[in-house]
Amino acid sequence: MEIADRIVEVKREMDNFPIENASQLEAFRIHFLGSKGTVKGLFALLKNVPVEQKREVGQQLNALRMEAQAILDARKSELDEKTAENNKLDVSRPGEYTPVGARHPLSVVRSEIIEIFKRIGFSVSEGPEIEDDWHNFSALNFPPEHPARDMQDTFFVEKGEREMALRTHTSSVQVRVMENETPPIRTISPGRVYRNEAISARAHCFFHQVEGLYIDKDVSFADLKQTLLYFAQEIFGEQAQIRLRPSYFPFTEPSAEVDVSCSICSGKGCNVCKYTGWLEILGCGMVDPNVLEASNIDSKTYSGFAFGMGIERIAQLKYRVNDLRLYSENDVRFLKQFTPEM
Ligand code: PHE
């Protein structure tokens, strides 16, 4: 084949050589410009070319070599630019969405209640969910066989000598605090409690409580009332009012049930408050002297108040949840509604 024809052929080969990445670029260099490459090979043939053509063919070969170098340089800078572009950090690109979970409404309300009482000096105490008779009942002035025990239907874990039960209220924790600490005592006990009830929209076999206890010299019913008013206004808003109705608990005397003004109808009457304008939120009273004495606290020197509320009930009023069962069904459609705004 004429050398001139080879040159044309190699030129075409160069134009069609694929260079999409660094290794193809290197392959191009070796193939055309390497020490055993095509262009070198053609230069070697120059010696066979007749003298009168040598000059022209030499120029064509030089041009071919320059063209190969030009292609190599151009593709190399294109590829370099591309990698630089790929590696560039674009801070304006939108981030990847990471879905966040939601806190359970009961946890949200629980922390809120704890924060409110912490601000006025209450500590948080916790205790076991499986309790003995003493801490759940006897120390709280429930005499044996007294019908008051039926107020809270109990799940017994073991009968007989070592009778144990799932605690029916967190008052049991407060007995433990009274036994172990000396007044002044100012504590709340949040926790899960159990009652043997048929599950419905309005009752469940377990729920959550926050109970409070304050014991010191000269603690009065007025202190109790003011503490509860403060609490109601912190959790439901400053327009909230409370009213106390006489009631009975074995461990407090006098005892009361506390209603808060209905935040839904502002006390005018609606179907949530059953047209009374009031919603029951907790039980309370002055600690019965028998309870103080049972924990070796001198009831002549000290007095105290106690209160207890259901977290579900407070959450129900805050979020208008009308079925207790929703709290423990783990339905994401329900739980998602409590995802904090981002
Ligand atoms: N322990 C009571 C209950 O679980 C609530 C309560 C606590 C009432 C303290 C009065 C005083 O129902």
Coordinates of all heavy atoms in Angstrom, one line a residue, residues 229-285:
L229 N -54.0 25.2 90.5 CA -54.4 26.3 89.5 C -53.2 26.6 88.6 O -53.3 26.8 87.4 CB -54.8 27.5 90.3 CG -55.2 28.7 89.5 CD1 -56.4 28.4 88.6 CD2 -55.6 29.9 90.3
Y230 N -52.0 26.8 89.3 CA -50.8 27.0 88.5 C -50.6 26.0 87.4 O -50.4 26.3 86.3 CB -49.6 27.1 89.5 CG -48.3 26.8 88.8 CD1 -47.6 27.8 88.1 CD2 -47.7 25.5 88.9 CE1 -46.4 27.5 87.4 CE2 -46.4 25.2 88.3 CZ -45.8 26.2 87.5 OH -44.6 25.9 86.9
F231 N -50.8 24.7 87.8 CA -50.6 23.6 86.9 C -51.6 23.7 85.7 O -51.2 23.7 84.5 CB -50.7 22.3 87.5 CG -50.9 21.1 86.6 CD1 -49.8 20.7 85.8 CD2 -52.1 20.5 86.4 CE1 -49.9 19.7 84.8 CE2 -52.2 19.5 85.4 CZ -51.1 19.1 84.7
A232 N -52.8 23.9 86.0 CA -53.9 24.0 85.0 C -53.6 25.1 84.0 O -53.8 25.0 82.8 CB -55.3 24.2 85.7
Q233 N -53.2 26.3 84.6 CA -52.9 27.4 83.6 C -51.7 27.2 82.8 O -51.6 27.7 81.7 CB -52.9 28.7 84.5 CG -54.3 28.9 85.1 CD -54.4 30.3 85.8 OE1 -53.4 30.8 86.3 NE2 -55.6 30.8 85.9
E234 N -50.7 26.5 83.4 CA -49.5 26.2 82.6 C -49.8 25.3 81.4 O -49.3 25.4 80.3 CB -48.4 25.6 83.5 CG -47.8 26.6 84.4 CD -47.0 27.7 83.7 OE1 -46.0 27.4 82.9 OE2 -47.3 28.9 83.9
I235 N -50.6 24.2 81.7 CA -50.8 23.2 80.7 C -51.9 23.5 79.7 O -51.9 23.2 78.6 CB -51.0 21.8 81.3 CG1 -50.8 20.7 80.3 CG2 -52.3 21.6 82.0 CD1 -49.7 19.7 80.6
F236 N -53.0 24.2 80.2 CA -54.1 24.5 79.3 C -54.2 26.0 78.9 O -55.1 26.3 78.1 CB -55.4 24.1 80.0 CG -55.6 22.6 80.2 CD1 -55.6 22.1 81.5 CD2 -55.6 21.7 79.1 CE1 -55.7 20.7 81.7 CE2 -55.7 20.4 79.3 CZ -55.8 19.9 80.6
G237 N -53.4 26.8 79.4 CA -53.4 28.3 79.1 C -53.9 29.1 80.2 O -54.7 28.6 81.1
E238 N -53.6 30.4 80.2 CA -53.9 31.2 81.5 C -55.3 31.5 81.7 O -55.7 31.9 82.8 CB -53.0 32.5 81.4 CG -53.3 33.3 80.2 CD -52.3 34.5 80.2 OE1 -51.2 34.4 80.9 OE2 -52.7 35.6 79.7
Q239 N -56.2 31.2 80.7 CA -57.6 31.4 80.9 C -58.2 30.3 81.7 O -59.4 30.3 82.1 CB -58.3 31.6 79.6 CG -58.6 30.3 78.8 CD -57.3 29.6 78.3 OE1 -56.3 30.2 78.1 NE2 -57.4 28.3 78.2
A240 N -57.4 29.2 81.9 CA -58.0 28.0 82.6 C -58.4 28.3 84.1 O -57.7 29.0 84.8 CB -57.0 26.9 82.5
Q241 N -59.6 27.8 84.4 CA -60.0 27.9 85.8 C -60.1 26.5 86.4 O -60.3 25.5 85.6 CB -61.4 28.6 85.9 CG -61.4 30.0 85.4 CD -60.6 30.9 86.4 OE1 -60.7 30.8 87.6 NE2 -59.7 31.7 85.8
I242 N -60.1 26.4 87.7 CA -60.4 25.0 88.3 C -61.5 25.1 89.3 O -61.8 26.2 89.9 CB -59.1 24.4 88.9 CG1 -58.5 25.4 90.0 CG2 -58.0 24.1 87.9 CD1 -57.5 24.7 90.9
R243 N -62.1 24.0 89.5 CA -63.0 23.9 90.7 C -62.8 22.5 91.4 O -62.5 21.6 90.7 CB -64.5 24.1 90.2 CG -65.1 22.9 89.5 CD -66.6 23.0 89.3 NE -67.1 21.8 88.6 CZ -68.3 21.7 88.2 NH1 -69.1 22.7 88.2 NH2 -68.7 20.5 87.6
L244 N -63.1 22.5 92.7 CA -62.8 21.3 93.4 C -64.2 20.8 93.9 O -65.0 21.6 94.5 CB -61.9 21.6 94.6 CG -60.4 21.6 94.3 CD1 -60.0 22.8 93.4 CD2 -59.6 21.5 95.5
R245 N -64.4 19.5 93.8 CA -65.6 18.9 94.3 C -65.2 17.9 95.4 O -64.2 17.2 95.2 CB -66.3 18.1 93.2 CG -67.0 19.0 92.2 CD -67.6 18.1 91.1 NE -66.6 17.6 90.1 CZ -66.2 16.4 90.0 NH1 -66.7 15.5 90.9 NH2 -65.3 16.0 89.2
P246 N -65.9 17.8 96.5 CA -65.5 16.9 97.5 C -65.6 15.4 97.0 O -66.4 15.1 96.2 CB -66.6 17.1 98.6 CG -67.3 18.4 98.3 CD -67.1 18.6 96.8
S247 N -64.6 14.6 97.5 CA -64.6 13.3 97.0 C -64.0 12.4 98.1 O -63.8 12.8 99.3 CB -63.7 13.2 95.8 OG -63.7 11.9 95.2
Y248 N -63.7 11.1 97.8 CA -63.1 10.2 98.8 C -62.0 9.5 98.2 O -62.1 8.9 97.1 CB -64.2 9.3 99.3 CG -63.5 8.2 100.2 CD1 -63.2 8.5 101.5 CD2 -63.3 6.9 99.7 CE1 -62.5 7.5 102.3 CE2 -62.6 6.0 100.5 CZ -62.3 6.3 101.8 OH -61.6 5.4 102.5
F249 N -60.8 9.5 98.9 CA -59.7 8.5 98.7 C -59.3 8.1 100.1 O -59.3 8.9 101.0 CB -58.6 9.2 98.0 CG -58.9 9.7 96.6 CD1 -59.2 11.1 96.4 CD2 -59.0 8.9 95.5 CE1 -59.5 11.6 95.2 CE2 -59.4 9.4 94.3 CZ -59.6 10.7 94.1
P250 N -58.9 6.8 100.2 CA -58.4 6.3 101.6 C -57.2 7.1 102.1 O -57.1 7.2 103.3 CB -58.1 4.9 101.3 CG -58.7 4.5 100.0 CD -58.8 5.8 99.2
F251 N -56.4 7.6 101.2 CA -55.1 8.2 101.6 C -55.1 9.7 101.8 O -54.1 10.3 102.2 CB -54.0 7.8 100.6 CG -54.5 7.6 99.2 CD1 -54.6 8.7 98.4 CD2 -54.9 6.4 98.7 CE1 -55.1 8.6 97.1 CE2 -55.4 6.2 97.4 CZ -55.5 7.3 96.6
T252 N -56.2 10.3 101.5 CA -56.3 11.8 101.7 C -57.6 12.1 102.5 O -58.6 11.5 102.4 CB -56.3 12.5 100.4 OG1 -57.2 11.9 99.5 CG2 -54.9 12.6 99.8
E253 N -57.5 13.2 103.3 CA -58.6 13.7 104.0 C -58.4 15.1 104.4 O -57.4 15.4 105.1 CB -58.8 12.8 105.3 CG -60.0 13.2 106.2 CD -61.3 13.1 105.4 OE1 -61.4 12.1 104.6 OE2 -62.2 14.0 105.6
P254 N -59.2 16.1 103.9 CA -60.3 15.9 103.0 C -59.7 15.6 101.6 O -58.6 15.8 101.3 CB -61.0 17.2 103.0 CG -59.9 18.2 103.4 CD -59.0 17.5 104.3
S255 N -60.6 15.0 100.7 CA -60.2 14.7 99.4 C -61.1 15.5 98.4 O -62.2 15.9 98.7 CB -60.5 13.2 99.1 OG -59.8 12.4 100.0
A256 N -60.6 15.7 97.2 CA -61.4 16.4 96.2 C -61.1 15.9 94.8 O -60.0 15.3 94.6 CB -61.1 17.9 96.3
E257 N -62.0 16.1 93.9 CA -61.8 15.9 92.5 C -61.7 17.2 91.9 O -62.5 18.1 92.2 CB -62.9 15.0 91.9 CG -62.3 13.6 91.7 CD -63.4 12.5 91.7 OE1 -64.3 12.5 92.5 OE2 -63.4 11.8 90.7
V258 N -60.8 17.4 90.9 CA -60.6 18.7 90.3 C -61.1 18.7 88.9 O -60.7 17.8 88.1 CB -59.1 19.1 90.4 CG1 -58.8 20.4 89.7 CG2 -58.6 19.1 91.8
D259 N -61.8 19.8 88.5 CA -62.3 20.0 87.2 C -61.6 21.2 86.6 O -61.3 22.1 87.4 CB -63.8 20.3 87.1 CG -64.6 19.1 87.6 OD1 -64.1 18.0 87.6 OD2 -65.8 19.3 88.0
V260 N -61.3 21.2 85.3 CA -60.8 22.4 84.7 C -61.8 22.9 83.7 O -62.6 22.1 83.2 CB -59.4 22.1 84.0 CG1 -59.7 21.1 82.8 CG2 -58.7 23.3 83.5
S261 N -61.9 24.2 83.6 CA -62.9 24.8 82.7 C -62.6 24.3 81.3 O -61.5 24.2 80.8 CB -62.8 26.3 82.7 OG -61.5 26.7 82.5
C262 N -63.7 24.0 80.6 CA -63.6 23.3 79.2 C -62.9 24.3 78.3 O -63.4 25.4 78.0 CB -64.9 22.9 78.7 SG -64.9 22.1 77.1
S263 N -61.7 23.9 77.7 CA -61.0 24.8 76.8 C -61.6 24.8 75.4 O -61.3 25.6 74.6 CB -59.5 24.3 76.8 OG -59.5 23.0 76.4
I264 N -62.5 23.8 75.2 CA -63.0 23.7 73.8 C -64.2 24.7 73.6 O -64.2 25.4 72.6 CB -63.5 22.3 73.6 CG1 -62.3 21.3 73.5 CG2 -64.3 22.2 72.3 CD1 -62.5 19.9 73.8
C265 N -65.0 24.9 74.6 CA -66.2 25.8 74.5 C -66.0 27.0 75.4 O -66.9 27.8 75.6 CB -67.5 25.1 74.8 SG -67.5 24.5 76.5
S266 N -64.8 27.1 76.1 CA -64.5 28.2 77.1 C -65.6 28.2 78.2 O -66.0 29.3 78.6 CB -64.4 29.6 76.4 OG -63.7 29.5 75.2
G267 N -66.1 27.1 78.5 CA -67.0 27.0 79.7 C -68.5 27.2 79.3 O -69.3 27.2 80.1
K268 N -68.7 27.5 78.0 CA -70.1 27.7 77.6 C -70.9 26.4 77.5 O -72.2 26.5 77.7 CB -70.1 28.4 76.2 CG -69.7 29.9 76.3 CD -70.0 30.5 74.9 CE -69.0 31.5 74.5 NZ -67.6 31.1 74.4
G269 N -70.3 25.3 77.4 CA -71.0 24.0 77.3 C -70.9 23.5 75.8 O -71.3 24.1 74.9
C270 N -70.4 22.2 75.7 CA -70.3 21.6 74.4 C -70.4 20.1 74.7 O -70.5 19.6 75.8 CB -69.0 21.9 73.7 SG -67.5 21.3 74.6
N271 N -70.3 19.3 73.6 CA -70.5 17.8 73.9 C -69.3 17.2 74.5 O -69.4 16.1 75.2 CB -70.9 17.1 72.6 CG -69.9 17.2 71.5 OD1 -68.9 17.9 71.7 ND2 -70.1 16.5 70.4
V272 N -68.1 17.8 74.5 CA -66.9 17.3 75.2 C -67.1 17.4 76.7 O -66.8 16.4 77.4 CB -65.6 17.9 74.7 CG1 -64.4 17.4 75.5 CG2 -65.4 17.7 73.2
C273 N -67.6 18.5 77.1 CA -67.8 18.7 78.6 C -69.2 18.3 79.0 O -69.6 18.6 80.1 CB -67.4 20.1 79.0 SG -68.5 21.4 78.3
K274 N -69.9 17.7 78.1 CA -71.3 17.3 78.3 C -72.1 18.5 78.8 O -73.0 18.4 79.7 CB -71.4 16.1 79.3 CG -70.5 14.9 78.8 CD -71.1 13.6 79.3 CE -70.2 12.5 78.9 NZ -68.9 12.4 79.6
Y275 N -71.9 19.6 78.2 CA -72.7 20.8 78.5 C -72.6 21.3 79.9 O -73.5 22.0 80.4 CB -74.1 20.7 78.0 CG -74.1 20.4 76.5 CD1 -74.2 19.1 76.1 CD2 -74.0 21.4 75.6 CE1 -74.1 18.8 74.7 CE2 -73.9 21.2 74.3 CZ -74.0 19.9 73.8 OH -73.9 19.6 72.5
T276 N -71.5 20.9 80.6 CA -71.3 21.4 82.0 C -70.3 22.5 82.1 O -70.3 23.3 83.0 CB -70.8 20.3 82.9 OG1 -69.5 19.9 82.4 CG2 -71.7 19.1 82.9
G277 N -69.5 22.7 81.0 CA -68.4 23.7 81.0 C -67.2 23.2 81.8 O -66.2 24.0 81.9
W278 N -67.2 22.0 82.4 CA -66.1 21.6 83.2 C -65.6 20.2 82.8 O -66.5 19.4 82.4 CB -66.5 21.5 84.7 CG -66.8 22.9 85.2 CD1 -68.0 23.5 85.4 CD2 -65.8 23.9 85.7 NE1 -67.9 24.7 85.9 CE2 -66.6 25.0 86.1 CE3 -64.5 23.9 85.8 CZ2 -66.0 26.1 86.6 CZ3 -63.9 25.1 86.4 CH2 -64.6 26.2 86.7
L279 N -64.3 19.9 82.9 CA -63.8 18.6 82.6 C -63.0 18.1 83.8 O -62.1 18.8 84.3 CB -62.8 18.7 81.4 CG -63.5 19.2 80.1 CD1 -62.4 19.8 79.2 CD2 -64.2 18.1 79.4
E280 N -63.2 16.9 84.2 CA -62.5 16.3 85.3 C -61.1 16.0 84.9 O -60.9 15.3 83.9 CB -63.2 15.1 85.9 CG -62.6 14.5 87.1 CD -63.2 13.2 87.6 OE1 -64.4 13.0 87.4 OE2 -62.4 12.4 88.1
I281 N -60.1 16.4 85.7 CA -58.7 16.1 85.3 C -57.9 15.4 86.4 O -56.9 14.7 86.1 CB -57.9 17.3 84.9 CG1 -57.9 18.5 85.9 CG2 -58.3 17.8 83.5 CD1 -56.8 19.5 85.7
L282 N -58.2 15.5 87.7 CA -57.4 14.8 88.7 C -58.1 14.7 90.0 O -59.1 15.3 90.3 CB -56.0 15.5 88.8 CG -55.9 17.0 89.2 CD1 -56.0 17.2 90.7 CD2 -54.6 17.5 88.7
G283 N -57.4 13.8 90.9 CA -57.9 13.6 92.3 C -56.8 14.2 93.2 O -55.6 14.2 92.8
C284 N -57.2 14.7 94.4 CA -56.3 15.3 95.3 C -56.8 15.3 96.7 O -57.9 14.9 97.0 CB -55.9 16.7 94.8 SG -57.3 17.8 95.0
G285 N -55.9 15.7 97.6 CA -56.4 15.9 99.0 C -55.2 16.1 99.9 O -54.0 16.1 99.5

